Amino acid sequence: QVQLVESGGGLVQTGGSLRLSCAASGGTVSSYAMGWFRQAPGKERELVATITRSEGVTWYADSVAGRFTISKDNAKNTVYLQLNNLKPEDTAVYYCTADPTGSHYYRKIPGSYWGQGTQVTVSP
């Protein structure tokens, strides 16, 4: 089974940027539809971005569209999430997720696998 390790989170001010990384092992990112979801206390879990395994088609939640960008580097077996123009409401633990087919994403839920997450905190 694929293992996922997120990194790159931190504390930034409103309007700042971060780049999150998701390193995969035990499997290749090219074999999965990849994505990111986030969880904040008192809020519903939210799928924020996905990318298909072959076509490279991306999808974004309305709340982050235009500000976040998902990408992957097959050579490094790593998926990224670029977070720009951050807002306090973006504060959450961000999780990388992998799904064999991407079918979970049609239901706006995480894939079959996910990592431990990385904390993103945006101050006003």
Side-chain angles (χ1 to χ4, degrees):
Q1 295 183 353
V2 63
Q3 291 82 48
L4 306 171
V5 179
E6 302 93 335
S7 62
L11 174 64
V12 298
Q13 294 183 345
T14 297
S17 299
L18 287 171
R19 190 175 80 155
L20 309 183
S21 297
C22 171
S25 61
T28 59
V29 297
S30 62
S31 299
Y32 298 89
M34 304 297 299
W36 291 87
F37 69 94
R38 63 187 182 185
Q39 178 67 66
K43 296 182 179 180
E44 296 182 357
R45 183 179 59 197
E46 182 182 26
L47 185 68
V48 299
T50 64
I51 184 168
T52 60
R53 71 176 190 176
S54 57
E55 302 88 353
V57 178
T58 59
W59 171 90
Y60 300 95
D62 290 342
S63 58
V64 307
R67 300 187 297 117
F68 292 7
T69 302
I70 186 172
S71 63
K72 62 179 180 179
D73 187 330
N74 291 334
K76 296 182 178 180
N77 206 26
T78 300
V79 177
Y80 304 96
L81 185 67
Q82 179 68 43
L83 298 79
N84 294 328
N85 192 24
L86 284 162
K87 305 175 181 179
E89 50 264 44
D90 294 320
T91 295
V93 178
Y94 284 72
Y95 298 87
C96 178
T97 185
D99 197 69
T101 65
S103 61
H104 286 63
Y105 304 152
Y106 290 114
R107 301 177 180 178
K108 303 297 186 291
I109 60 176
S112 300
Y113 310 97
W114 57 88
Q116 295 300 118
T118 185
Q119 177 71 47
V120 171
T121 303
V122 185
S123 62

